[in-house]
Amino acid sequence: MLKRMNEALEYIETHLTETIDDKELERITGTSIYHFRRMFSFLSGMTLGEYIRKRKLSNATFDLLKGLSVTETAFKYGYDSVDGFSRAFKEWTGLKPSEVKQSARLTAFPKLSFQLTIQGGMN
């Protein structure tokens, strides 16, 4: 199951600038989207929507550093307006998107992966 969860994360990662297809996540994980969301929340400690939002904003930070405009970045990551993107970005980082290049303190959120580690079991 961990392999399927990681495949789902890879799908999400490669489609951050597009619509994430729930049916594709169901196909990859072999479970309903409801159960996938519950498993994801249980394993990661955050909702799937929160994870996707943080990954989009993290990637947006790097796009802004590379010189993409705030408007281009907002629409690239699916925000309906520049104002909505700017509010979400400021709430997440504490910075306005236009302040990214001047800041020495940036926020990033790395991609998750699920692993199983077994320890103990010996006298």
Side-chain angles (χ1 to χ4, degrees):
M1 188 61 188
L2 288 178
K3 180 181 177 199
R4 288 181 177 186
M5 293 293 286
N6 285 322
E7 287 173 4
L9 287 175
E10 191 57 40
Y11 166 79
I12 290 167
E13 193 66 24
T14 59
H15 292 84
L16 283 174
T17 59
E18 305 164 21
T19 301
I20 307 293
D21 184 1
D22 288 349
K23 295 289 183 198
E24 185 62 16
L25 289 173
E26 289 178 335
R27 187 194 67 71
I28 292 168
T29 60
T31 186
S32 70
I33 192 65
Y34 171 79
H35 284 101
F36 171 68
R37 287 178 184 275
R38 288 195 52 170
M39 284 188 293
F40 183 89
S41 293
F42 177 77
L43 292 170
S44 70
M46 71 184 89
T47 67
L48 181 61
E50 183 182 356
Y51 173 74
I52 291 170
R53 185 175 74 81
K54 286 179 178 182
R55 286 298 299 140
K56 284 182 176 188
L57 290 170
S58 184
N59 285 356
T61 300
F62 293 105
D63 284 347
L64 291 166
L65 281 171
K66 291 177 189 172
L68 219 62
S69 74
V70 176
T71 302
E72 290 171 312
T73 305
F75 293 120
K76 177 179 179 179
Y77 290 99
Y79 284 84
D80 293 329
S81 70
V82 174
D83 288 340
F85 170 72
S86 295
R87 274 192 305 273
F89 193 87
K90 178 148 177 123
E91 180 183 307
W92 185 64
T93 64
L95 299 169
K96 295 176 185 176
S98 59
E99 297 172 333
V100 166
K101 285 188 176 181
Q102 293 83 28
S103 179
R105 179 191 56 88
L106 297 175
T107 304
F109 187 78
K111 177 186 158 199
L112 284 180
S113 68
F114 296 110
Q115 300 174 359
L116 176 64
T117 303
I118 301 172
Q119 295 179 342
M122 299 187 74
N123 292 337

Coordinates of all heavy atoms in Angstrom, one line a residue, residues 24-111:
E24 N -8.2 9.3 -11.1 CA -6.8 8.8 -11.3 C -6.2 8.4 -10.0 O -5.5 7.4 -9.9 CB -5.9 9.9 -12.0 CG -4.6 9.4 -12.4 CD -4.5 8.2 -13.4 OE1 -5.5 7.9 -14.0 OE2 -3.4 7.6 -13.5
L25 N -6.4 9.2 -8.9 CA -5.9 8.8 -7.6 C -6.6 7.5 -7.1 O -5.9 6.7 -6.6 CB -6.2 9.9 -6.6 CG -5.3 11.2 -6.8 CD1 -5.8 12.3 -5.8 CD2 -3.9 10.9 -6.6
E26 N -7.8 7.3 -7.4 CA -8.5 6.1 -7.1 C -7.9 4.9 -7.9 O -7.6 3.8 -7.3 CB -10.0 6.1 -7.4 CG -10.8 7.0 -6.5 CD -12.2 7.1 -6.8 OE1 -12.6 6.9 -8.0 OE2 -13.0 7.4 -5.9
R27 N -7.6 5.1 -9.1 CA -7.0 4.1 -10.0 C -5.6 3.7 -9.4 O -5.2 2.5 -9.3 CB -6.9 4.5 -11.4 CG -6.4 3.4 -12.4 CD -6.0 3.9 -13.7 NE -4.8 4.8 -13.7 CZ -3.6 4.3 -13.5 NH1 -3.3 3.1 -13.3 NH2 -2.5 5.2 -13.5
I28 N -4.8 4.7 -9.1 CA -3.4 4.5 -8.6 C -3.4 3.8 -7.3 O -2.7 2.8 -7.1 CB -2.7 5.8 -8.5 CG1 -2.4 6.4 -9.9 CG2 -1.3 5.6 -7.8 CD1 -2.0 7.9 -9.9
T29 N -4.3 4.2 -6.4 CA -4.3 3.6 -5.0 C -5.1 2.4 -4.9 O -5.0 1.6 -3.9 CB -4.7 4.7 -4.0 OG1 -6.1 5.1 -4.3 CG2 -3.8 5.9 -4.0
G30 N -6.0 2.1 -5.8 CA -6.9 1.0 -5.7 C -8.0 1.1 -4.6 O -8.5 0.1 -4.1
T31 N -8.3 2.4 -4.3 CA -9.3 2.6 -3.2 C -10.1 3.9 -3.6 O -9.7 4.6 -4.6 CB -8.6 2.8 -1.9 OG1 -9.6 2.9 -0.9 CG2 -7.7 4.0 -1.8
S32 N -11.1 4.1 -2.9 CA -12.0 5.3 -3.2 C -11.2 6.5 -2.8 O -10.3 6.5 -1.9 CB -13.3 5.2 -2.5 OG -13.1 5.4 -1.1
I33 N -11.6 7.7 -3.3 CA -10.9 8.9 -3.0 C -11.2 9.2 -1.5 O -10.3 9.8 -0.8 CB -11.4 10.1 -3.9 CG1 -10.5 11.3 -3.7 CG2 -12.8 10.4 -3.7 CD1 -9.1 11.2 -4.1
Y34 N -12.3 8.9 -1.0 CA -12.6 9.1 0.4 C -11.6 8.3 1.3 O -11.0 8.9 2.2 CB -14.1 8.6 0.7 CG -14.4 8.5 2.2 CD1 -14.7 9.7 2.9 CD2 -14.3 7.3 2.9 CE1 -15.0 9.7 4.2 CE2 -14.6 7.3 4.3 CZ -15.0 8.5 4.9 OH -15.2 8.5 6.2
H35 N -11.4 7.0 1.0 CA -10.4 6.3 1.8 C -9.0 6.7 1.6 O -8.2 6.7 2.5 CB -10.6 4.8 1.5 CG -11.8 4.2 2.1 ND1 -12.9 4.0 1.5 CD2 -12.0 3.9 3.4 CE1 -13.8 3.5 2.3 NE2 -13.3 3.4 3.5
F36 N -8.7 7.1 0.4 CA -7.3 7.7 0.1 C -7.1 8.9 1.0 O -6.0 9.1 1.6 CB -7.1 8.0 -1.4 CG -5.8 8.8 -1.6 CD1 -4.6 8.1 -1.4 CD2 -5.8 10.1 -2.0 CE1 -3.4 8.8 -1.6 CE2 -4.7 10.8 -2.3 CZ -3.4 10.1 -2.1
R37 N -8.1 9.8 1.0 CA -7.9 11.1 1.8 C -7.8 10.7 3.3 O -7.0 11.4 3.9 CB -9.1 12.0 1.5 CG -9.1 12.7 0.2 CD -10.4 13.5 0.0 NE -10.4 14.1 -1.3 CZ -9.8 15.2 -1.7 NH1 -9.1 15.9 -0.8 NH2 -9.9 15.7 -2.9
R38 N -8.5 9.8 3.7 CA -8.4 9.4 5.1 C -7.1 8.8 5.5 O -6.5 9.1 6.5 CB -9.5 8.4 5.5 CG -10.9 9.1 5.5 CD -11.9 8.3 6.2 NE -11.4 7.9 7.5 CZ -12.1 7.3 8.5 NH1 -13.4 7.1 8.3 NH2 -11.6 7.0 9.6
M39 N -6.6 7.9 4.6 CA -5.3 7.3 4.8 C -4.2 8.3 4.8 O -3.3 8.3 5.6 CB -5.0 6.2 3.8 CG -5.8 4.9 4.0 SD -5.3 3.6 2.9 CE -5.8 4.2 1.3
F40 N -4.3 9.2 3.8 CA -3.3 10.3 3.7 C -3.3 11.1 5.0 O -2.2 11.4 5.5 CB -3.6 11.2 2.5 CG -2.6 12.2 2.3 CD1 -1.5 12.0 1.5 CD2 -2.7 13.5 2.9 CE1 -0.5 13.0 1.3 CE2 -1.7 14.4 2.7 CZ -0.6 14.2 2.0
S41 N -4.4 11.5 5.4 CA -4.5 12.3 6.7 C -3.9 11.6 7.9 O -3.2 12.1 8.7 CB -5.9 12.8 7.0 OG -6.4 13.6 6.0
F42 N -4.2 10.3 8.0 CA -3.7 9.5 9.1 C -2.2 9.4 9.0 O -1.5 9.5 10.0 CB -4.4 8.1 9.0 CG -3.9 7.2 10.1 CD1 -4.3 7.3 11.4 CD2 -3.0 6.2 9.8 CE1 -3.8 6.4 12.4 CE2 -2.5 5.3 10.8 CZ -2.9 5.5 12.1
L43 N -1.7 9.1 7.8 CA -0.2 8.9 7.7 C 0.6 10.2 7.8 O 1.7 10.2 8.3 CB 0.1 8.2 6.4 CG -0.4 6.7 6.3 CD1 -0.2 6.2 4.9 CD2 0.4 5.8 7.3
S44 N 0.0 11.3 7.2 CA 0.8 12.5 7.1 C 0.5 13.5 8.2 O 1.3 14.4 8.5 CB 0.6 13.2 5.8 OG -0.7 13.7 5.7
G45 N -0.6 13.4 8.9 CA -1.0 14.4 9.9 C -1.6 15.7 9.3 O -1.7 16.7 10.0
M46 N -1.9 15.7 8.0 CA -2.5 16.9 7.4 C -3.5 16.4 6.3 O -3.4 15.2 5.9 CB -1.5 17.8 6.8 CG -0.8 17.2 5.5 SD 0.5 18.3 4.9 CE 1.9 17.6 5.8
T47 N -4.4 17.2 5.9 CA -5.3 16.9 4.9 C -4.6 16.9 3.5 O -3.6 17.5 3.4 CB -6.5 17.8 4.8 OG1 -6.1 19.1 4.4 CG2 -7.2 17.9 6.2
L48 N -5.2 16.2 2.6 CA -4.7 16.1 1.2 C -4.7 17.5 0.6 O -3.7 18.0 0.0 CB -5.4 15.2 0.4 CG -5.0 15.0 -1.1 CD1 -3.5 14.5 -1.1 CD2 -5.9 14.1 -1.9
G49 N -5.8 18.3 0.8 CA -5.9 19.6 0.3 C -4.8 20.5 0.9 O -4.3 21.4 0.2
E50 N -4.5 20.4 2.2 CA -3.5 21.2 2.8 C -2.1 20.9 2.2 O -1.3 21.8 1.9 CB -3.5 20.9 4.3 CG -2.5 21.7 5.1 CD -2.6 21.4 6.6 OE1 -3.4 20.5 7.0 OE2 -1.7 21.9 7.3
Y51 N -1.9 19.6 2.0 CA -0.6 19.2 1.4 C -0.4 19.8 0.0 O 0.6 20.4 -0.3 CB -0.5 17.7 1.3 CG 0.7 17.2 0.6 CD1 2.0 17.2 1.1 CD2 0.6 16.7 -0.7 CE1 3.1 16.8 0.4 CE2 1.7 16.2 -1.4 CZ 2.9 16.3 -0.9 OH 4.0 15.9 -1.6
I52 N -1.5 19.7 -0.8 CA -1.4 20.2 -2.2 C -1.2 21.7 -2.2 O -0.4 22.2 -2.9 CB -2.7 19.8 -3.0 CG1 -2.7 18.3 -3.2 CG2 -2.8 20.5 -4.3 CD1 -4.0 17.7 -3.8
R53 N -1.9 22.4 -1.3 CA -1.8 23.8 -1.2 C -0.4 24.2 -0.8 O 0.3 25.1 -1.4 CB -2.8 24.4 -0.2 CG -2.8 25.9 -0.1 CD -3.9 26.4 0.8 NE -3.5 26.2 2.2 CZ -2.7 27.0 2.9 NH1 -2.2 28.1 2.3 NH2 -2.4 26.8 4.1
K54 N 0.2 23.5 0.2 CA 1.6 23.8 0.6 C 2.6 23.5 -0.5 O 3.6 24.3 -0.7 CB 1.9 23.1 1.8 CG 1.2 23.6 3.1 CD 1.6 22.8 4.3 CE 1.0 23.4 5.6 NZ 1.4 22.6 6.8
R55 N 2.4 22.5 -1.2 CA 3.3 22.1 -2.3 C 3.2 23.2 -3.5 O 4.2 23.6 -4.0 CB 3.0 20.7 -2.9 CG 3.5 19.6 -2.0 CD 5.0 19.6 -1.8 NE 5.7 19.4 -3.0 CZ 6.8 20.1 -3.4 NH1 7.4 20.9 -2.6 NH2 7.4 19.8 -4.5
K56 N 2.0 23.6 -3.8 CA 1.8 24.6 -4.8 C 2.5 25.9 -4.4 O 3.2 26.6 -5.2 CB 0.3 24.9 -5.1 CG -0.3 23.8 -5.9 CD -1.8 24.2 -6.1 CE -2.5 23.2 -7.0 NZ -3.8 23.6 -7.4
L57 N 2.3 26.3 -3.1 CA 2.9 27.6 -2.7 C 4.4 27.5 -2.6 O 5.1 28.4 -2.9 CB 2.3 28.0 -1.3 CG 0.8 28.5 -1.4 CD1 0.2 28.6 0.0 CD2 0.7 29.7 -2.2
S58 N 4.9 26.3 -2.2 CA 6.4 26.1 -2.2 C 7.0 26.2 -3.6 O 8.0 26.9 -3.8 CB 6.7 24.7 -1.6 OG 8.1 24.5 -1.4
N59 N 6.3 25.6 -4.5 CA 6.8 25.7 -5.9 C 6.7 27.1 -6.4 O 7.5 27.5 -7.2 CB 6.1 24.7 -6.8 CG 6.5 23.2 -6.6 OD1 7.5 23.0 -5.8 ND2 5.9 22.3 -7.3
A60 N 5.6 27.8 -6.0 CA 5.4 29.1 -6.5 C 6.6 30.0 -6.0 O 7.0 30.9 -6.7 CB 4.1 29.7 -6.0
T61 N 7.0 29.8 -4.8 CA 8.2 30.5 -4.2 C 9.4 30.4 -5.2 O 10.0 31.5 -5.5 CB 8.6 30.0 -2.8 OG1 7.5 30.1 -2.0 CG2 9.8 30.8 -2.3
F62 N 9.7 29.2 -5.6 CA 10.8 29.1 -6.5 C 10.6 29.7 -7.9 O 11.5 30.2 -8.5 CB 11.2 27.6 -6.7 CG 11.7 27.0 -5.4 CD1 10.9 26.2 -4.6 CD2 13.0 27.4 -4.9 CE1 11.4 25.7 -3.4 CE2 13.4 26.9 -3.7 CZ 12.7 26.0 -2.9
D63 N 9.3 29.6 -8.4 CA 9.0 30.3 -9.7 C 9.2 31.8 -9.6 O 9.7 32.4 -10.5 CB 7.6 29.9 -10.1 CG 7.5 28.5 -10.6 OD1 8.5 27.9 -10.9 OD2 6.3 28.0 -10.8
L64 N 8.7 32.4 -8.4 CA 8.9 33.8 -8.2 C 10.4 34.2 -8.2 O 10.8 35.2 -8.7 CB 8.2 34.2 -6.9 CG 6.7 34.2 -7.0 CD1 6.1 34.3 -5.6 CD2 6.1 35.3 -7.9
L65 N 11.2 33.3 -7.5 CA 12.6 33.6 -7.5 C 13.3 33.5 -8.9 O 14.2 34.2 -9.2 CB 13.3 32.5 -6.6 CG 13.2 32.8 -5.1 CD1 13.8 31.5 -4.3 CD2 14.0 34.0 -4.7
K66 N 12.7 32.7 -9.7 CA 13.2 32.5 -11.1 C 12.8 33.7 -12.0 O 13.3 33.8 -13.1 CB 12.8 31.2 -11.7 CG 13.4 30.0 -11.1 CD 12.8 28.7 -11.7 CE 13.2 27.5 -11.0 NZ 12.5 26.3 -11.5
G67 N 11.9 34.5 -11.5 CA 11.5 35.7 -12.3 C 10.1 35.7 -12.9 O 9.7 36.6 -13.6
L68 N 9.4 34.6 -12.6 CA 8.0 34.6 -13.0 C 7.2 35.7 -12.3 O 7.4 35.9 -11.1 CB 7.3 33.2 -12.7 CG 6.4 32.6 -13.7 CD1 7.1 32.3 -15.1 CD2 5.8 31.3 -13.2
S69 N 6.3 36.4 -13.0 CA 5.5 37.4 -12.4 C 4.5 36.9 -11.4 O 4.2 35.7 -11.5 CB 4.8 38.3 -13.4 OG 3.7 37.5 -13.9
V70 N 4.1 37.7 -10.5 CA 3.0 37.2 -9.5 C 1.8 36.8 -10.2 O 1.2 35.8 -9.9 CB 2.7 38.4 -8.5 CG1 1.6 38.0 -7.5 CG2 4.0 38.8 -7.7
T71 N 1.4 37.5 -11.3 CA 0.2 37.1 -12.0 C 0.4 35.8 -12.7 O -0.5 34.9 -12.6 CB -0.1 38.2 -13.1 OG1 -0.3 39.5 -12.4 CG2 -1.4 37.9 -13.9
E72 N 1.5 35.6 -13.4 CA 1.7 34.3 -14.0 C 1.8 33.2 -13.0 O 1.2 32.1 -13.3 CB 3.1 34.3 -14.8 CG 3.1 35.2 -16.0 CD 4.5 35.4 -16.5 OE1 5.5 35.7 -15.8 OE2 4.7 35.2 -17.8
T73 N 2.4 33.4 -11.9 CA 2.5 32.4 -10.9 C 1.1 32.0 -10.3 O 0.8 30.8 -10.1 CB 3.5 32.8 -9.8 OG1 4.7 33.2 -10.4 CG2 3.7 31.7 -8.7
A74 N 0.3 33.0 -10.0 CA -1.0 32.8 -9.5 C -1.8 31.9 -10.4 O -2.4 30.9 -9.9 CB -1.7 34.1 -9.2
F75 N -1.9 32.2 -11.7 CA -2.7 31.5 -12.6 C -2.1 30.1 -12.9 O -2.8 29.1 -13.1 CB -3.0 32.3 -13.9 CG -3.9 33.5 -13.6 CD1 -3.4 34.7 -13.8 CD2 -5.1 33.3 -13.0 CE1 -4.3 35.8 -13.5 CE2 -6.0 34.4 -12.7 CZ -5.5 35.6 -13.0
K76 N -0.7 30.0 -12.9 CA -0.1 28.7 -13.1 C -0.5 27.7 -12.1 O -0.7 26.5 -12.4 CB 1.4 28.9 -13.1 CG 2.2 27.6 -13.2 CD 3.7 27.9 -13.2 CE 4.5 26.5 -13.3 NZ 5.9 26.7 -13.3
Y77 N -0.7 28.1 -10.8 CA -1.0 27.2 -9.7 C -2.5 27.2 -9.4 O -2.9 26.7 -8.4 CB -0.2 27.5 -8.5 CG 1.3 27.1 -8.8 CD1 2.2 28.0 -9.1 CD2 1.6 25.8 -8.7 CE1 3.5 27.7 -9.4 CE2 2.9 25.4 -9.0 CZ 3.9 26.3 -9.3 OH 5.2 25.9 -9.6
G78 N -3.3 27.7 -10.4 CA -4.7 27.5 -10.3 C -5.5 28.5 -9.4 O -6.7 28.2 -9.1
Y79 N -4.9 29.6 -9.1 CA -5.7 30.6 -8.3 C -6.5 31.4 -9.3 O -6.1 31.7 -10.4 CB -4.7 31.5 -7.5 CG -4.2 30.8 -6.3 CD1 -3.1 29.9 -6.4 CD2 -4.8 30.9 -5.1 CE1 -2.6 29.3 -5.3 CE2 -4.3 30.2 -3.9 CZ -3.2 29.4 -4.1 OH -2.7 28.7 -3.0
D80 N -7.7 31.7 -8.8 CA -8.7 32.5 -9.7 C -8.3 33.9 -9.8 O -8.7 34.6 -10.7 CB -10.1 32.3 -9.2 CG -10.6 30.9 -9.3 OD1 -10.2 30.2 -10.2 OD2 -11.4 30.5 -8.4
S81 N -7.6 34.4 -8.8 CA -7.2 35.8 -8.8 C -5.8 36.0 -8.2 O -5.4 35.2 -7.4 CB -8.2 36.7 -8.1 OG -8.1 36.4 -6.7
V82 N -5.2 37.1 -8.6 CA -3.9 37.5 -8.0 C -4.0 37.8 -6.5 O -3.2 37.4 -5.7 CB -3.2 38.6 -8.8 CG1 -2.0 39.1 -8.1 CG2 -3.0 38.2 -10.2
D83 N -5.2 38.4 -6.2 CA -5.4 38.7 -4.8 C -5.5 37.5 -3.9 O -5.0 37.4 -2.8 CB -6.7 39.6 -4.6 CG -6.5 41.0 -5.1 OD1 -5.4 41.5 -5.2 OD2 -7.5 41.7 -5.4
G84 N -6.2 36.5 -4.4 CA -6.4 35.2 -3.7 C -5.1 34.5 -3.5 O -4.7 34.0 -2.4
F85 N -4.3 34.5 -4.5 CA -2.9 33.9 -4.4 C -2.1 34.7 -3.4 O -1.4 34.1 -2.6 CB -2.2 33.9 -5.8 CG -0.8 33.6 -5.8 CD1 -0.4 32.3 -5.5 CD2 0.2 34.5 -6.0 CE1 1.0 31.9 -5.4 CE2 1.5 34.2 -5.9 CZ 1.9 32.9 -5.6
S86 N -2.1 36.0 -3.5 CA -1.3 36.9 -2.7 C -1.6 36.7 -1.2 O -0.8 36.6 -0.3 CB -1.4 38.3 -3.0 OG -0.9 38.6 -4.3
R87 N -2.9 36.6 -0.9 CA -3.4 36.3 0.5 C -2.9 35.0 1.0 O -2.4 34.9 2.1 CB -4.9 36.4 0.6 CG -5.5 37.8 0.8 CD -6.9 37.8 1.1 NE -7.8 37.0 0.2 CZ -8.3 37.5 -0.9 NH1 -8.1 38.8 -1.2 NH2 -9.0 36.8 -1.7
A88 N -3.1 33.9 0.2 CA -2.6 32.6 0.6 C -1.1 32.6 0.8 O -0.6 32.0 1.7 CB -3.1 31.6 -0.5
F89 N -0.4 33.2 -0.1 CA 1.1 33.2 -0.1 C 1.5 33.9 1.2 O 2.4 33.5 1.9 CB 1.6 33.9 -1.3 CG 3.1 33.7 -1.5 CD1 3.6 32.5 -2.1 CD2 4.0 34.6 -1.0 CE1 4.9 32.3 -2.3 CE2 5.4 34.4 -1.1 CZ 5.8 33.2 -1.8
K90 N 0.9 35.1 1.5 CA 1.3 35.9 2.7 C 1.0 35.1 3.9 O 1.8 35.1 4.9 CB 0.7 37.2 2.6 CG 1.0 38.0 3.9 CD 1.1 39.5 3.6 CE 1.3 40.2 4.9 NZ 2.5 41.0 5.0
E91 N -0.2 34.5 4.0 CA -0.6 33.7 5.1 C 0.4 32.5 5.4 O 0.8 32.2 6.5 CB -2.0 33.1 4.9 CG -2.5 32.3 6.1 CD -3.9 31.7 5.8 OE1 -4.8 32.5 5.4 OE2 -4.0 30.5 5.9
W92 N 0.9 31.9 4.3 CA 1.8 30.8 4.4 C 3.2 31.2 4.7 O 3.9 30.6 5.6 CB 1.7 29.9 3.1 CG 2.5 28.7 3.2 CD1 2.3 27.6 4.1 CD2 3.7 28.3 2.5 NE1 3.2 26.7 3.9 CE2 4.1 27.1 2.9 CE3 4.4 29.0 1.5 CZ2 5.2 26.4 2.3 CZ3 5.5 28.3 0.9 CH2 5.8 27.1 1.3
T93 N 3.7 32.2 4.1 CA 5.1 32.6 4.2 C 5.4 33.8 5.1 O 6.5 34.0 5.6 CB 5.8 32.9 2.9 OG1 5.1 34.1 2.3 CG2 5.7 31.8 1.9
G94 N 4.4 34.6 5.3 CA 4.6 35.9 6.0 C 5.1 37.0 5.1 O 5.3 38.1 5.5
L95 N 5.2 36.7 3.8 CA 5.7 37.7 2.8 C 4.7 37.9 1.7 O 4.0 36.9 1.4 CB 7.0 37.1 2.2 CG 8.2 36.9 3.0 CD1 9.3 36.1 2.2 CD2 8.8 38.2 3.5
K96 N 4.7 39.0 1.1 CA 4.0 39.2 -0.1 C 4.8 38.6 -1.2 O 6.0 38.5 -1.2 CB 3.8 40.7 -0.4 CG 3.0 41.5 0.6 CD 3.0 43.0 0.2 CE 2.3 43.8 1.3 NZ 2.4 45.2 1.0
P97 N 4.1 38.0 -2.3 CA 4.8 37.4 -3.4 C 5.9 38.4 -4.0 O 6.9 37.9 -4.4 CB 3.7 37.1 -4.4 CG 2.5 37.0 -3.6 CD 2.6 37.9 -2.5
S98 N 5.6 39.6 -4.0 CA 6.5 40.6 -4.6 C 7.8 40.8 -3.7 O 8.8 41.4 -4.2 CB 5.8 41.9 -4.8 OG 5.3 42.4 -3.6
E99 N 7.8 40.3 -2.5 CA 8.9 40.5 -1.6 C 9.9 39.3 -1.6 O 10.9 39.3 -0.9 CB 8.4 40.7 -0.1 CG 7.6 41.9 0.0 CD 6.9 42.0 1.4 OE1 6.7 41.0 2.0 OE2 6.6 43.2 1.9
V100 N 9.6 38.3 -2.3 CA 10.4 37.0 -2.3 C 11.8 37.3 -2.7 O 12.7 36.8 -2.0 CB 9.7 36.0 -3.2 CG1 10.7 34.8 -3.5 CG2 8.4 35.4 -2.6
K101 N 12.0 38.0 -3.7 CA 13.4 38.2 -4.2 C 14.3 39.0 -3.2 O 15.5 38.9 -3.2 CB 13.4 38.9 -5.6 CG 13.0 38.0 -6.7 CD 13.2 38.6 -8.0 CE 12.9 37.7 -9.1 NZ 13.1 38.3 -10.4
Q102 N 13.6 39.9 -2.4 CA 14.4 40.7 -1.5 C 14.6 40.0 -0.1 O 15.3 40.5 0.7 CB 13.7 42.0 -1.2 CG 13.7 43.0 -2.4 CD 12.5 42.6 -3.4 OE1 11.5 42.1 -3.0 NE2 12.7 42.9 -4.7
S103 N 13.9 38.9 0.1 CA 13.9 38.3 1.4 C 15.1 37.3 1.6 O 15.4 36.5 0.7 CB 12.6 37.6 1.7 OG 12.6 36.9 3.0
A104 N 15.7 37.2 2.8 CA 16.7 36.2 3.1 C 16.0 35.0 3.7 O 16.6 34.0 3.9 CB 17.7 36.8 4.0
R105 N 14.7 35.2 4.1 CA 14.0 34.1 4.8 C 12.9 33.6 3.9 O 11.9 34.3 3.7 CB 13.5 34.6 6.1 CG 12.7 33.6 6.9 CD 12.0 34.2 8.1 NE 11.1 35.3 7.7 CZ 9.8 35.2 7.4 NH1 9.3 34.0 7.4 NH2 9.1 36.3 7.1
L106 N 13.0 32.4 3.4 CA 11.9 31.9 2.5 C 11.4 30.6 3.1 O 12.1 29.9 3.8 CB 12.5 31.6 1.1 CG 13.0 32.9 0.3 CD1 13.6 32.5 -1.0 CD2 11.8 33.9 0.1
T107 N 10.2 30.3 2.8 CA 9.5 29.1 3.2 C 9.4 28.1 2.1 O 9.1 28.4 1.0 CB 8.1 29.4 3.8 OG1 8.2 30.4 4.8 CG2 7.4 28.2 4.3
A108 N 9.8 26.8 2.4 CA 9.7 25.8 1.4 C 9.0 24.6 2.1 O 9.1 24.4 3.3 CB 11.0 25.3 0.9
F109 N 8.3 23.8 1.3 CA 7.6 22.6 1.9 C 8.0 21.4 0.9 O 7.5 21.3 -0.2 CB 6.1 22.8 1.9 CG 5.4 21.7 2.6 CD1 5.4 21.6 4.0 CD2 4.7 20.7 1.8 CE1 4.7 20.6 4.6 CE2 4.0 19.7 2.4 CZ 4.0 19.6 3.8
P110 N 8.9 20.5 1.3 CA 9.3 19.4 0.5 C 8.3 18.4 0.2 O 7.3 18.2 1.0 CB 10.5 18.8 1.2 CG 10.6 19.5 2.5 CD 9.6 20.5 2.6
K111 N 8.4 17.7 -0.9 CA 7.5 16.6 -1.2 C 7.6 15.5 -0.2 O 8.7 15.2 0.3 CB 8.0 16.1 -2.6 CG 7.2 14.9 -3.1 CD 7.8 14.3 -4.4 CE 7.4 12.9 -4.5 NZ 8.2 12.2 -5.4

